Amino acid sequence: MNSKVVTIVFIGLCLLLLLSVGGSFWDGSFDLLLHNSENWKFPKTLFIFWIGMSQAGVLLSAFLLVMKVKIHRRTSLLLELCSLCSYVVAIALSLLYSNSIKLNSDIYNIGIVGFISLLFFVTHLVAADSAEDVSLCKNLAKIRRPLACFILPTVFWVVSEFALDFAQFENSLWQGAFFPLYVVACVFYMGLASTIALLSFENYYNRLIERFILLCSWFMSLLFLWLMLIKDSGSIIAFIFACVVPQLLLFEAVRESLWGRLIVVLCIFFGVLLKCDFVLYLDDFHLVSNVSLANVSLMFAGGVFFVFFFFGVRILLSRFFENDEILMGEESDSSDGEIPDAEERKYYAPFSAPEFKVVRLPVLCGVLAAVTYGYFTSDWVHLAGPFGAYVGCLLVCLQPFAHVWLSRKGKGGRK
Amino acid sequence: MSMFANAVACLLCLIFAAFIWKIKGLYRITLVMFLIVLSNCLYTAFAGNIAFPVLEVYPFRMLALTLCVFTTGLRENRRRFMVLAQTFWLWVELLGCLSLYQTGEETPWLRLAAIAGIAFGCMFMARISKEIEFGLIVLWMAVWMFF
């Protein structure tokens, strides 16, 4: 990790935060920051943004793992950590400005995804720690893909459900089948953008992700335009920032320059933030026309909190594990719990793949738990699915410990 | 959308799938996929009334069908990608059904059940022969046209 750059960014953000807070005295908006006012709606925009970020990292990490796209352990760990830190920022925002951010039952779904993400991250960390029990690490590495198989549909479902409920209760213009699909695509896009930003601090550059983001920006452009066509309204400024600016990555000078990449990523985030504001107020210029230094302060406060928490945990984990490279580095192509190529090409008969053997009992128990929950609460749409996934993930995570315990007991018995 | 326009959409999906089979390389495939989604959107906008909520996801349903047909031509990991493509279709349909259900309109649950059934059936398939491939394409077309 490039500590110098991290320090400079952190100090820069702190200075900007101080300046904006100081400025908020000057423009008279300081009261908004201190008082939990119902009239100040900007915290809600930021909350939606950070909730999106909280799903983005883990969604991308699980997606790449399920699709067997090889990425370094560092990249997936950073993505998972980014998700967890975004959760913390979103929770802090919702606690501080509870009058502005009204939470509904979706928060339980998001909480379940947060817990599963934490399990996914911890499993990844412990599996990478060579100081731990070797057999436990191997067993934990084996459950990463099965866990990803649980996480991916759960995140898809929770984000879709969040979007459907938002359309139903907040803004009826977005009611329809397309909006959830569009929100999931935006979350995925944010995940790709955050990867490029986070890897920049590691002095590392992933060309595959950069290609993905460029290709994804074409599809995002289409989705933006389709939404404008079917709803007769859309944010053109958000489109320019989130979809047009990333086309600069087609130029080698921008692609190869660290600052070029960072500027593109910042533009994407700003575009998504504008879009979050637009889905709330349906005004292209709402964020710009209602800008106050209190808004700017809150935006920088979120950024500072995220950077502090993210790099704090990152540094803490580096110290905790003796060898930094084992935790966040790339040992070899097969270090990410990947199955070697020869084994990957091996043909498995239906329902006989190693992953299936790990997930069959947890899936069964998860389905039973979901059905039981749905039967007793009559809530089949909101929480039944995530609750089943929660039970399934817990059982998957318990398996390695059960294996190790049983093998030790067997050895003890023989002695 | 009329029955004829629906049939033309199905035909377009088959043509697009046949076209993707011949393309290689990440950039080329993505560019072709982009053009396919663009064509789907344009077709939906011209052939149907996009104010109708069901048609919001029509281009993506077309994309899902294209991907399903495309997976029959894969040489490696065919079963896995076939199931994934159908899961994508199922997800798009499910969102459509839920949003229609929320607005109190008639919901095509049968189509959803049919896609889920075929996807589940695909999981049991060992080696997929040419005849089964053809059968699957016919089944998907039947789901597209009649449910």
Side-chain angles (χ1 to χ4, degrees):
Chain A
M1 189 178 74
N2 195 333
S3 312
K4 204 183 279 179
V5 176
V6 173
T7 315
I8 291 169
V9 168
F10 183 66
I11 292 173
L13 275 173
C14 285
L15 284 174
L16 285 170
L17 175 64
L18 279 175
L19 268 176
S20 52
V21 170
S24 66
F25 282 104
W26 173 70
D27 76 346
S29 59
F30 186 71
D31 275 353
L32 291 172
L33 280 172
L34 288 182
H35 299 112
N36 186 0
S37 164
E38 208 172 312
N39 299 325
W40 192 32
K41 298 291 182 192
F42 186 66
K44 194 165 191 175
T45 305
L46 273 184
F47 176 73
I48 292 175
F49 176 81
W50 284 109
I51 281 291
M53 281 289 284
S54 70
Q55 312 288 311
V58 75
L59 174 71
L60 189 62
S61 176
F63 177 78
L64 294 176
L65 195 60
V66 168
M67 298 302 284
K68 296 188 180 176
V69 177
K70 281 186 180 170
I71 56 164
H72 291 140
R73 179 186 299 139
R74 172 186 10 209
T75 313
S76 46
L77 272 172
L78 289 173
L79 280 169
E80 290 152 23
L81 187 59
C82 168
S83 265
L84 294 172
C85 296
S86 306
Y87 265 110
V88 176
V89 178
I91 291 167
L93 268 174
S94 65
L95 290 176
L96 280 172
Y97 298 100
S98 53
N99 283 340
S100 172
I101 304 162
K102 297 270 190 292
L103 300 172
N104 55 17
S105 62
D106 286 330
I107 202 71
Y108 298 114
N109 288 346
I110 290 166
I112 286 175
V113 173
F115 180 75
I116 298 173
S117 309
L118 186 65
L119 277 181
F120 193 49
F121 178 64
V122 172
T123 311
H124 202 173
L125 275 186
V126 181
D129 180 20
S130 59
E132 284 286 332
D133 188 345
V134 180
S135 62
L136 180 69
C137 292
K138 278 185 181 170
N139 280 317
L140 282 171
K142 276 182 196 165
I143 63 160
R144 286 205 62 236
R145 191 165 284 143
L147 264 183
C149 293
F150 270 103
I151 288 174
L152 195 62
T154 312
V155 175
F156 265 67
W157 177 246
V158 167
V159 175
S160 309
E161 184 55 35
F162 184 78
L164 280 170
D165 278 356
F166 179 84
Q168 195 180 11
F169 300 116
E170 301 271 345
N171 201 330
S172 59
L173 177 80
W174 305 116
Q175 270 194 341
F178 178 65
F179 186 61
L181 199 142
Y182 173 74
V183 173
V184 171
C186 279
V187 166
F188 192 83
Y189 193 45
M190 283 166 88
L192 287 171
S194 58
T195 315
I196 290 188
L198 296 173
L199 286 179
S200 303
F201 291 107
E202 302 281 325
N203 286 335
Y204 181 62
Y205 174 38
N206 191 327
R207 284 182 198 279
L208 184 73
I209 300 280
E210 172 235 291
R211 266 186 224 163
F212 274 156
I213 204 163
L214 184 62
L215 301 176
C216 204
S217 70
W218 300 350
F219 286 99
M220 285 307 296
S221 316
L222 259 184
L223 297 185
F224 262 77
L225 293 172
W226 181 245
L227 193 74
M228 282 182 199
L229 190 71
I230 56 175
K231 300 290 179 192
D232 264 344
S233 69
S235 172
I236 292 169
I237 307 178
F239 173 73
I240 291 169
F241 274 103
C243 300
V244 179
V245 174
Q247 303 313 315
L248 288 172
L249 287 173
L250 283 168
F251 300 101
E252 200 180 346
V254 178
R255 214 167 47 224
E256 296 298 323
S257 146
L258 171 73
W259 292 108
R261 289 195 302 271
L262 277 178
I263 287 170
V264 168
V265 165
L266 285 176
C267 284
I268 291 174
F269 283 141
F270 187 62
V272 174
L273 185 69
L274 284 172
K275 191 71 201 177
C276 291
D277 196 64
F278 183 81
V279 295
L280 277 167
Y281 305 108
L282 298 177
D283 181 3
D284 214 356
F285 298 97
H286 180 269
L287 191 72
V288 185
S289 57
N290 289 289
V291 72
S292 67
L293 283 163
N295 290 3
V296 180
S297 306
L298 196 64
M299 200 167 74
F300 282 127
V304 167
F305 192 40
F306 176 81
V307 169
F308 174 75
F309 200 69
F310 180 87
F311 289 105
V313 175
R314 166 74 179 85
I315 291 165
L316 197 73
L317 290 176
S318 304
R319 284 177 185 170
F320 183 70
F321 293 97
E322 284 176 21
N323 190 347
D324 187 14
E325 286 309 298
I326 290 172
L327 174 65
M328 295 288 187
E330 52 274 14
E331 293 162 285
S332 67
D333 276 350
S334 61
S335 65
D336 202 16
E338 291 285 345
I339 298 164
D341 279 349
E343 205 170 317
E344 219 168 74
R345 288 200 190 110
K346 194 178 158 187
Y347 173 75
Y348 290 106
F351 297 104
S352 65
E355 285 96 2
F356 177 72
K357 287 176 183 165
V358 177
V359 296
R360 58 189 171 188
L361 184 66
V363 164
L364 195 65
C365 294
V367 170
L368 278 174
V371 170
T372 314
Y373 179 86
Y375 181 75
F376 283 111
T377 60
S378 302
D379 173 19
W380 293 99
V381 177
H382 290 95
L383 259 175
F387 182 69
Y390 167 75
V391 172
C393 280
L394 271 182
L395 289 174
V396 168
C397 288
L398 284 176
Q399 278 186 23
F401 295 99
H403 277 295
V404 171
W405 182 71
L406 283 173
S407 63
R408 276 180 191 163
K409 206 180 168 189
K411 277 177 193 171
R414 258 176 257 145
K415 278 175 189 173
Chain B
M1 197 172 270
S2 67
M3 190 76 171
F4 175 71
N6 213 23
V8 173
C10 186
L11 189 69
L12 273 176
C13 293
L14 294 181
I15 294 168
F16 290 148
F19 196 64
I20 308 178
W21 279 331
K22 291 173 185 167
I23 309 288
K24 279 179 186 168
L26 183 70
Y27 270 113
R28 281 183 192 172
I29 284 192
T30 317
L31 187 67
V32 169
M33 297 272 276
F34 171 78
L35 291 174
I36 288 172
V37 181
L38 184 67
S39 322
N40 291 349
C41 290
L42 288 175
Y43 176 76
T44 311
F46 286 117
N49 176 13
I50 50 170
F52 193 51
V54 179
L55 293 187
E56 278 188 13
V57 281
Y58 198 82
F60 306 98
R61 284 178 57 208
M62 282 175 75
L63 177 70
L65 182 63
T66 308
L67 289 176
C68 285
V69 178
F70 164 66
T71 52
T72 56
L74 287 176
R75 286 181 188 166
E76 286 176 8
N77 298 319
R78 189 161 45 166
R79 189 177 62 218
R80 189 157 63 98
F81 284 109
M82 206 175 257
V83 173
L84 279 175
Q86 287 176 95
T87 312
F88 173 65
W89 191 5
L90 195 67
W91 176 57
V92 171
E93 294 285 359
L94 182 68
L95 293 180
C97 284
L98 280 177
S99 59
L100 286 176
Y101 181 72
Q102 280 181 348
T103 48
E105 287 179 55
E106 199 185 335
T107 314
W109 295 113
L110 197 61
R111 189 196 295 155
L112 206 65
I115 299 166
I118 300 172
F120 189 67
C122 280
M123 287 183 195
F124 287 94
M125 285 179 188
R127 303 277 179 188
I128 301 170
S129 64
K130 290 274 173 200
E131 291 77 17
I132 293 176
E133 269 175 30
F134 180 72
L136 276 173
I137 294 173
V138 171
L139 262 178
W140 289 325
M141 284 169 68
V143 170
W144 181 272
M145 291 298 300
F146 303 115
F147 289 122

